[in-house]
Amino acid sequence: MKRVGTVVAVLAALVLTGCTSQAQEPPGLTASPTSVATSAPTPSETVPASQTPDPSDPELGIVFEDVPDLTGDEADVWNTAATYRVEYWRTMTTNTVSPGFGAIAFGDTLEVMENIAATNAGISAQIGGTFRTRVFDVTITGDEASAMACDMYADVTFASVEGPATPQEAGFGENRLLRLPMKRIDDRWLIGPSTREGTC
């Protein structure tokens, strides 16, 4: 069990310190049954559809908390960050790097995930349960952006060839605050390795 905690703690360090500290519906309209003309809704009565749909996947075991209603570049950045959390969790639960990283990663992100997958496979890690995360605080400056993520492991299960471990024993006993740095490359937002910024 001690080995599980140690190796998974190493895993935590890999995924959370993969880069240096320098990185940074509209409402439905009811048809009138009479022939009386009705006025069109004013702009204040029309709400734009959300461009940040909830990407939670119960089958995969990931739940997003407090999904915001964003549009434009902010939505694009948020969706990239959310996709990153989904593919991270897919890698954690399969011990294989998710091919989804090929579409969203730049820098050392892929290498970090390869190390995580190899480490977990080396101890026959079995990680499951429900991983909860909240992506928030999107900021954009020109072609650079970032988002924060609060990762919650309380409902995650950990085990290896040496047996099961609680989140605390595995080194995931507290919520982890991450900064997710991004760059716009060829009109797409790509994400670099995350950095740990305390608890949340």
Side-chain angles (χ1 to χ4, degrees):
M1 182 62 62
K2 186 174 181 181
R3 183 183 176 198
V4 174
T6 300
V7 176
V8 178
V10 170
L11 162 68
L14 281 172
V15 72
L16 299 177
T17 60
C19 62
T20 67
S21 60
Q22 296 176 348
Q24 354 200 20
E25 264 281 35
L29 299 177
T30 302
S32 172
T34 69
S35 59
V36 177
T38 58
S39 60
T42 65
S44 63
E45 296 173 333
T46 304
V47 179
S50 172
Q51 293 184 16
T52 48
D54 187 348
S56 297
D57 185 341
E59 184 175 345
L60 180 60
I62 183 170
V63 173
F64 284 80
E65 306 281 357
D66 302 327
V67 176
D69 187 2
L70 303 175
T71 58
D73 273 351
E74 286 188 334
D76 292 339
V77 168
W78 191 93
N79 288 327
T80 300
T83 299
Y84 175 64
R85 303 323 289 147
V86 170
E87 302 312 325
Y88 156 78
W89 185 241
R90 195 185 313 278
T91 298
M92 290 281 281
T93 59
T94 62
N95 298 341
T96 303
V97 177
S98 171
F101 282 117
I104 62 169
F106 78 88
D108 297 333
T109 305
L110 192 57
E111 182 180 350
V112 170
M113 294 302 160
E114 288 171 346
N115 289 336
I116 289 172
T119 299
N120 283 2
I123 60 166
S124 300
Q126 298 175 29
I127 301 175
T130 301
F131 170 59
R132 300 180 186 279
T133 188
R134 180 169 66 95
V135 177
F136 61 103
D137 197 16
V138 169
T139 59
I140 303 172
T141 304
D143 288 332
E144 295 189 354
S146 68
M148 302 301 291
C150 180
D151 288 350
M152 297 158 267
Y153 295 87
D155 297 323
V156 173
T157 60
F158 298 89
S160 75
V161 290
E162 296 185 2
T166 65
Q168 291 77 12
E169 292 168 335
F172 291 86
E174 59 189 10
N175 295 345
R176 295 165 177 260
L177 181 65
L178 307 178
R179 180 174 295 278
L180 313 177
M182 282 171 254
K183 290 183 179 181
R184 181 162 27 206
I185 301 174
D186 296 330
D187 294 325
R188 290 189 304 145
W189 289 104
L190 302 181
I191 194 161
S194 61
T195 54
R196 175 82 183 273
E197 296 206 353
T199 59
C200 50

